[in-house]
Amino acid sequence: MDKLVIEGGIPLQGEVNISGAKNATLPLMAASLLAAGKHTLSNAPKLRDIRTMQNLLAHMGASCEHNDLLQIDTSDIHTLEAPYDLVKTMRASVLVLGPMLARYHRARVSLPGGCAIGARPINLHLMGLEQMGVEVQLDHGYVIARADRLKGATISFDQVTVTGTENLMMAATLAEGTTLLKNAAREPEVVALAEYLCKMGARIEGAGTAEITIEGVKELFPGSFRVIPDRIEAGTYLVAAGITGGELKLNSCRPEHLEAVIQKLQAAGLSIDAGDDFLRVRSNGIIQSVDIKTWPYPAFPTDMQAQFMSLMTLGNGVSVIIEQIFENRFMHVLELKRLGADIELDGRTAVVRGVKKLSGAPVMATDLRASASLVLGALAAEGITEVNRIYHLDRGYEAMEKKLAAVGARIWREKS
């Protein structure tokens, strides 16, 4: 098991190239099941979660190659099952459920269960599929689903769900009739999936709004698509510049996907200039304390909460951070306190009192974004920090230590 060793206190300077978005790539990979043939994704990141989805598709009969391009051939799908051994490591594996039902009318998918940051049940996925005529049974931890053919329906989500929106949107592409998704997720990753599905021959309107309309078609065709940049990775490097008092230019990103994050970072004292496909961020080392509440896109994303909290540990006042998405997404707090942070928890609220400095210490990552927050804290801390269990980090950040080292950080990977 690897760990990162970081000697903090160095302002970052230079340019960082932002990778393709993991949370966009995974549903695009699942969408390949909707049409037999060769699908090609460019700008797909090389991450642990991407490899897991490749393994799942390979188990089902697809062939996957990931060099400069991610190529998936779904001509020979023969197993309509997502087994527990694969699904347990990545919740997004459940995204194969909708495509399998749409094209093959049956599926057997392990329940993904919970994760470190909350339960995240798939009941909204299943309720929507039942409204589309799918017979759903739960058997020894598996979803057993079948339908002669899916039928269009009007589905209102009780709460916004990104994977639920994506799963049902994919299922509806080959359904008979029209499907209307109400209270749909509006994330850029949902829009990217809709754009690729339309390139495959689907008829979808309204992606990026709270109501998405899908008119079912008889057949889809494989195609090619460029994965959108990772807005959370970009946000993380914005914080990296701020917390170290540095200056970075982020290339190959979409500033319009980060408006809520940029506004809060500017309020915290960072100078941020946006171009069409780049961001330039500068910090004078003085951090203003700012309050945030997480909420679905386009509001402040829960996936940036931990990183923003790291920045607030060095604020010049008190910051109140309210987590409204996941019930257990403050697991990084105890580890940040090991670095010297002053944070008090009360349910879903964290009160962060800024301190003058952080100090290096051994810490342990508990989930993907918690890992990033600890790396950020370590970059600003005096002395040496060891971040353990970084396999979480490898799920969602491509070559993070190499990108940071290239802009001046003293960071390296070691075996624990």
Side-chain angles (χ1 to χ4, degrees), residues 165-194:
T165 299
E166 292 168 340
N167 230 342
L168 294 179
M169 184 166 63
M170 287 188 284
T173 58
L174 295 175
E176 182 180 339
T178 300
T179 298
L180 175 62
L181 303 181
K182 293 187 174 183
N183 197 27
R186 299 162 62 186
E187 273 73 1
E189 295 80 11
V190 173
V191 176
L193 175 61

mmCIF file of all heavy atoms in Angstrom, residues 165-194:
data_model
loop_
_atom_site.group_PDB
_atom_site.id
_atom_site.type_symbol
_atom_site.label_atom_id
_atom_site.label_comp_id
_atom_site.label_asym_id
_atom_site.label_seq_id
_atom_site.Cartn_x
_atom_site.Cartn_y
_atom_site.Cartn_z
ATOM 1 N N THR A 165 -30.396 9.863 -12.460
ATOM 2 C CA THR A 165 -30.727 10.560 -13.701
ATOM 3 C C THR A 165 -30.041 9.899 -14.890
ATOM 4 O O THR A 165 -30.651 9.654 -15.938
ATOM 5 C CB THR A 165 -30.321 12.040 -13.606
ATOM 6 O OG1 THR A 165 -31.038 12.667 -12.532
ATOM 7 C CG2 THR A 165 -30.611 12.768 -14.912
ATOM 8 N N GLU A 166 -28.758 9.585 -14.723
ATOM 9 C CA GLU A 166 -27.998 8.985 -15.821
ATOM 10 C C GLU A 166 -28.508 7.594 -16.160
ATOM 11 O O GLU A 166 -28.665 7.239 -17.344
ATOM 12 C CB GLU A 166 -26.511 8.938 -15.433
ATOM 13 C CG GLU A 166 -25.875 10.314 -15.348
ATOM 14 C CD GLU A 166 -24.504 10.303 -14.687
ATOM 15 O OE1 GLU A 166 -24.185 9.338 -13.964
ATOM 16 O OE2 GLU A 166 -23.754 11.266 -14.881
ATOM 17 N N ASN A 167 -28.780 6.790 -15.148
ATOM 18 C CA ASN A 167 -29.247 5.424 -15.378
ATOM 19 C C ASN A 167 -30.579 5.407 -16.125
ATOM 20 O O ASN A 167 -30.766 4.670 -17.106
ATOM 21 C CB ASN A 167 -29.383 4.694 -14.041
ATOM 22 C CG ASN A 167 -28.708 3.341 -14.036
ATOM 23 O OD1 ASN A 167 -28.410 2.765 -15.074
ATOM 24 N ND2 ASN A 167 -28.489 2.814 -12.852
ATOM 25 N N LEU A 168 -31.521 6.240 -15.671
ATOM 26 C CA LEU A 168 -32.850 6.242 -16.286
ATOM 27 C C LEU A 168 -32.831 6.914 -17.655
ATOM 28 O O LEU A 168 -33.584 6.526 -18.553
ATOM 29 C CB LEU A 168 -33.848 6.919 -15.353
ATOM 30 C CG LEU A 168 -34.110 6.158 -14.047
ATOM 31 C CD1 LEU A 168 -35.092 6.921 -13.172
ATOM 32 C CD2 LEU A 168 -34.632 4.754 -14.317
ATOM 33 N N MET A 169 -31.963 7.903 -17.838
ATOM 34 C CA MET A 169 -31.836 8.526 -19.157
ATOM 35 C C MET A 169 -31.334 7.506 -20.178
ATOM 36 O O MET A 169 -31.851 7.432 -21.303
ATOM 37 C CB MET A 169 -30.880 9.719 -19.081
ATOM 38 C CG MET A 169 -30.754 10.504 -20.378
ATOM 39 S SD MET A 169 -29.959 12.116 -20.168
ATOM 40 C CE MET A 169 -28.335 11.629 -19.593
ATOM 41 N N MET A 170 -30.343 6.693 -19.786
ATOM 42 C CA MET A 170 -29.843 5.658 -20.688
ATOM 43 C C MET A 170 -30.909 4.607 -20.955
ATOM 44 O O MET A 170 -31.095 4.168 -22.101
ATOM 45 C CB MET A 170 -28.583 5.015 -20.107
ATOM 46 C CG MET A 170 -27.357 5.917 -20.172
ATOM 47 S SD MET A 170 -25.810 5.103 -19.705
ATOM 48 C CE MET A 170 -25.966 5.047 -17.920
ATOM 49 N N ALA A 171 -31.634 4.201 -19.910
ATOM 50 C CA ALA A 171 -32.690 3.208 -20.097
ATOM 51 C C ALA A 171 -33.760 3.713 -21.056
ATOM 52 O O ALA A 171 -34.280 2.967 -21.891
ATOM 53 C CB ALA A 171 -33.307 2.858 -18.742
ATOM 54 N N ALA A 172 -34.075 5.008 -20.957
ATOM 55 C CA ALA A 172 -35.177 5.568 -21.747
ATOM 56 C C ALA A 172 -34.843 5.723 -23.219
ATOM 57 O O ALA A 172 -35.750 5.854 -24.053
ATOM 58 C CB ALA A 172 -35.579 6.921 -21.168
ATOM 59 N N THR A 173 -33.557 5.699 -23.583
ATOM 60 C CA THR A 173 -33.195 5.932 -24.984
ATOM 61 C C THR A 173 -33.783 4.886 -25.922
ATOM 62 O O THR A 173 -34.092 5.184 -27.073
ATOM 63 C CB THR A 173 -31.664 5.953 -25.163
ATOM 64 O OG1 THR A 173 -31.114 4.709 -24.708
ATOM 65 C CG2 THR A 173 -31.045 7.116 -24.414
ATOM 66 N N LEU A 174 -33.937 3.640 -25.439
ATOM 67 C CA LEU A 174 -34.474 2.563 -26.268
ATOM 68 C C LEU A 174 -35.868 2.130 -25.819
ATOM 69 O O LEU A 174 -36.366 1.104 -26.254
ATOM 70 C CB LEU A 174 -33.525 1.357 -26.253
ATOM 71 C CG LEU A 174 -32.148 1.588 -26.880
ATOM 72 C CD1 LEU A 174 -31.264 0.359 -26.692
ATOM 73 C CD2 LEU A 174 -32.276 1.927 -28.353
ATOM 74 N N ALA A 175 -36.486 2.924 -24.939
ATOM 75 C CA ALA A 175 -37.833 2.594 -24.469
ATOM 76 C C ALA A 175 -38.872 2.965 -25.530
ATOM 77 O O ALA A 175 -38.625 3.782 -26.423
ATOM 78 C CB ALA A 175 -38.127 3.327 -23.159
ATOM 79 N N GLU A 176 -40.020 2.361 -25.394
ATOM 80 C CA GLU A 176 -41.136 2.667 -26.299
ATOM 81 C C GLU A 176 -41.854 3.913 -25.794
ATOM 82 O O GLU A 176 -42.360 3.937 -24.674
ATOM 83 C CB GLU A 176 -42.100 1.484 -26.339
ATOM 84 C CG GLU A 176 -43.284 1.660 -27.274
ATOM 85 C CD GLU A 176 -44.208 0.464 -27.273
ATOM 86 O OE1 GLU A 176 -43.759 -0.631 -26.873
ATOM 87 O OE2 GLU A 176 -45.383 0.619 -27.666
ATOM 88 N N GLY A 177 -41.873 4.968 -26.614
ATOM 89 C CA GLY A 177 -42.553 6.188 -26.199
ATOM 90 C C GLY A 177 -41.596 7.203 -25.597
ATOM 91 O O GLY A 177 -40.374 7.125 -25.748
ATOM 92 N N THR A 178 -42.175 8.164 -24.894
ATOM 93 C CA THR A 178 -41.419 9.302 -24.358
ATOM 94 C C THR A 178 -41.317 9.222 -22.843
ATOM 95 O O THR A 178 -42.305 8.916 -22.162
ATOM 96 C CB THR A 178 -42.088 10.630 -24.768
ATOM 97 O OG1 THR A 178 -42.121 10.706 -26.201
ATOM 98 C CG2 THR A 178 -41.320 11.821 -24.222
ATOM 99 N N THR A 179 -40.133 9.515 -22.335
ATOM 100 C CA THR A 179 -39.890 9.550 -20.887
ATOM 101 C C THR A 179 -39.560 10.972 -20.484
ATOM 102 O O THR A 179 -38.776 11.664 -21.143
ATOM 103 C CB THR A 179 -38.720 8.622 -20.508
ATOM 104 O OG1 THR A 179 -39.058 7.281 -20.848
ATOM 105 C CG2 THR A 179 -38.430 8.696 -19.010
ATOM 106 N N LEU A 180 -40.166 11.415 -19.382
ATOM 107 C CA LEU A 180 -39.892 12.735 -18.822
ATOM 108 C C LEU A 180 -39.311 12.556 -17.427
ATOM 109 O O LEU A 180 -39.944 11.952 -16.553
ATOM 110 C CB LEU A 180 -41.176 13.575 -18.761
ATOM 111 C CG LEU A 180 -41.058 14.953 -18.087
ATOM 112 C CD1 LEU A 180 -40.074 15.835 -18.851
ATOM 113 C CD2 LEU A 180 -42.422 15.621 -17.991
ATOM 114 N N LEU A 181 -38.094 13.035 -17.214
ATOM 115 C CA LEU A 181 -37.453 12.993 -15.902
ATOM 116 C C LEU A 181 -37.591 14.362 -15.252
ATOM 117 O O LEU A 181 -37.085 15.359 -15.768
ATOM 118 C CB LEU A 181 -35.978 12.622 -16.043
ATOM 119 C CG LEU A 181 -35.650 11.305 -16.743
ATOM 120 C CD1 LEU A 181 -34.147 11.088 -16.782
ATOM 121 C CD2 LEU A 181 -36.342 10.129 -16.054
ATOM 122 N N LYS A 182 -38.298 14.405 -14.117
ATOM 123 C CA LYS A 182 -38.494 15.658 -13.393
ATOM 124 C C LYS A 182 -37.588 15.694 -12.163
ATOM 125 O O LYS A 182 -37.332 14.679 -11.540
ATOM 126 C CB LYS A 182 -39.958 15.811 -12.969
ATOM 127 C CG LYS A 182 -40.920 15.989 -14.139
ATOM 128 C CD LYS A 182 -42.320 16.308 -13.644
ATOM 129 C CE LYS A 182 -43.259 16.637 -14.797
ATOM 130 N NZ LYS A 182 -44.608 17.019 -14.306
ATOM 131 N N ASN A 183 -37.138 16.896 -11.794
ATOM 132 C CA ASN A 183 -36.165 17.092 -10.724
ATOM 133 C C ASN A 183 -34.876 16.335 -11.052
ATOM 134 O O ASN A 183 -34.238 15.733 -10.197
ATOM 135 C CB ASN A 183 -36.706 16.651 -9.366
ATOM 136 C CG ASN A 183 -35.895 17.205 -8.201
ATOM 137 O OD1 ASN A 183 -35.265 18.263 -8.310
ATOM 138 N ND2 ASN A 183 -35.888 16.484 -7.087
ATOM 139 N N ALA A 184 -34.512 16.377 -12.334
ATOM 140 C CA ALA A 184 -33.317 15.685 -12.802
ATOM 141 C C ALA A 184 -32.058 16.430 -12.372
ATOM 142 O O ALA A 184 -32.067 17.639 -12.140
ATOM 143 C CB ALA A 184 -33.347 15.567 -14.330
ATOM 144 N N ALA A 185 -30.954 15.695 -12.273
ATOM 145 C CA ALA A 185 -29.660 16.300 -11.984
ATOM 146 C C ALA A 185 -29.230 17.167 -13.164
ATOM 147 O O ALA A 185 -29.487 16.842 -14.324
ATOM 148 C CB ALA A 185 -28.622 15.218 -11.703
ATOM 149 N N ARG A 186 -28.536 18.273 -12.871
ATOM 150 C CA ARG A 186 -28.167 19.252 -13.892
ATOM 151 C C ARG A 186 -26.657 19.317 -14.116
ATOM 152 O O ARG A 186 -26.176 20.190 -14.832
ATOM 153 C CB ARG A 186 -28.681 20.634 -13.459
ATOM 154 C CG ARG A 186 -30.194 20.686 -13.318
ATOM 155 C CD ARG A 186 -30.666 21.868 -12.487
ATOM 156 N NE ARG A 186 -30.297 23.144 -13.090
ATOM 157 C CZ ARG A 186 -30.484 24.330 -12.513
ATOM 158 N NH1 ARG A 186 -31.049 24.390 -11.317
ATOM 159 N NH2 ARG A 186 -30.113 25.436 -13.122
ATOM 160 N N GLU A 187 -25.921 18.395 -13.515
ATOM 161 C CA GLU A 187 -24.466 18.436 -13.572
ATOM 162 C C GLU A 187 -23.926 18.391 -15.005
ATOM 163 O O GLU A 187 -24.546 17.792 -15.894
ATOM 164 C CB GLU A 187 -23.887 17.269 -12.779
ATOM 165 C CG GLU A 187 -23.686 17.514 -11.302
ATOM 166 C CD GLU A 187 -24.968 17.551 -10.502
ATOM 167 O OE1 GLU A 187 -26.059 17.371 -11.085
ATOM 168 O OE2 GLU A 187 -24.911 17.762 -9.281
ATOM 169 N N PRO A 188 -22.758 18.986 -15.238
ATOM 170 C CA PRO A 188 -22.142 18.925 -16.569
ATOM 171 C C PRO A 188 -21.914 17.493 -17.056
ATOM 172 O O PRO A 188 -21.964 17.236 -18.263
ATOM 173 C CB PRO A 188 -20.806 19.653 -16.378
ATOM 174 C CG PRO A 188 -21.042 20.576 -15.230
ATOM 175 C CD PRO A 188 -21.992 19.855 -14.322
ATOM 176 N N GLU A 189 -21.676 16.571 -16.122
ATOM 177 C CA GLU A 189 -21.462 15.175 -16.507
ATOM 178 C C GLU A 189 -22.734 14.562 -17.082
ATOM 179 O O GLU A 189 -22.673 13.711 -17.979
ATOM 180 C CB GLU A 189 -20.968 14.378 -15.300
ATOM 181 C CG GLU A 189 -19.607 14.796 -14.780
ATOM 182 C CD GLU A 189 -19.630 16.046 -13.902
ATOM 183 O OE1 GLU A 189 -20.734 16.491 -13.513
ATOM 184 O OE2 GLU A 189 -18.551 16.589 -13.619
ATOM 185 N N VAL A 190 -23.891 14.977 -16.580
ATOM 186 C CA VAL A 190 -25.172 14.520 -17.131
ATOM 187 C C VAL A 190 -25.347 15.068 -18.549
ATOM 188 O O VAL A 190 -25.784 14.357 -19.452
ATOM 189 C CB VAL A 190 -26.340 14.955 -16.216
ATOM 190 C CG1 VAL A 190 -27.687 14.641 -16.863
ATOM 191 C CG2 VAL A 190 -26.230 14.294 -14.848
ATOM 192 N N VAL A 191 -24.991 16.328 -18.732
ATOM 193 C CA VAL A 191 -25.094 16.949 -20.057
ATOM 194 C C VAL A 191 -24.176 16.236 -21.045
ATOM 195 O O VAL A 191 -24.561 15.960 -22.195
ATOM 196 C CB VAL A 191 -24.749 18.449 -19.972
ATOM 197 C CG1 VAL A 191 -24.771 19.077 -21.367
ATOM 198 C CG2 VAL A 191 -25.723 19.168 -19.050
ATOM 199 N N ALA A 192 -22.956 15.916 -20.599
ATOM 200 C CA ALA A 192 -22.009 15.228 -21.485
ATOM 201 C C ALA A 192 -22.550 13.873 -21.909
ATOM 202 O O ALA A 192 -22.438 13.476 -23.077
ATOM 203 C CB ALA A 192 -20.665 15.068 -20.787
ATOM 204 N N LEU A 193 -23.147 13.138 -20.971
ATOM 205 C CA LEU A 193 -23.729 11.846 -21.313
ATOM 206 C C LEU A 193 -24.848 12.013 -22.330
ATOM 207 O O LEU A 193 -24.936 11.252 -23.314
ATOM 208 C CB LEU A 193 -24.259 11.156 -20.050
ATOM 209 C CG LEU A 193 -25.005 9.843 -20.275
ATOM 210 C CD1 LEU A 193 -24.115 8.793 -20.934
ATOM 211 C CD2 LEU A 193 -25.570 9.312 -18.949
ATOM 212 N N ALA A 194 -25.716 12.995 -22.125
ATOM 213 C CA ALA A 194 -26.809 13.234 -23.077
ATOM 214 C C ALA A 194 -26.266 13.572 -24.464
ATOM 215 O O ALA A 194 -26.794 13.108 -25.482
ATOM 216 C CB ALA A 194 -27.707 14.358 -22.565
#
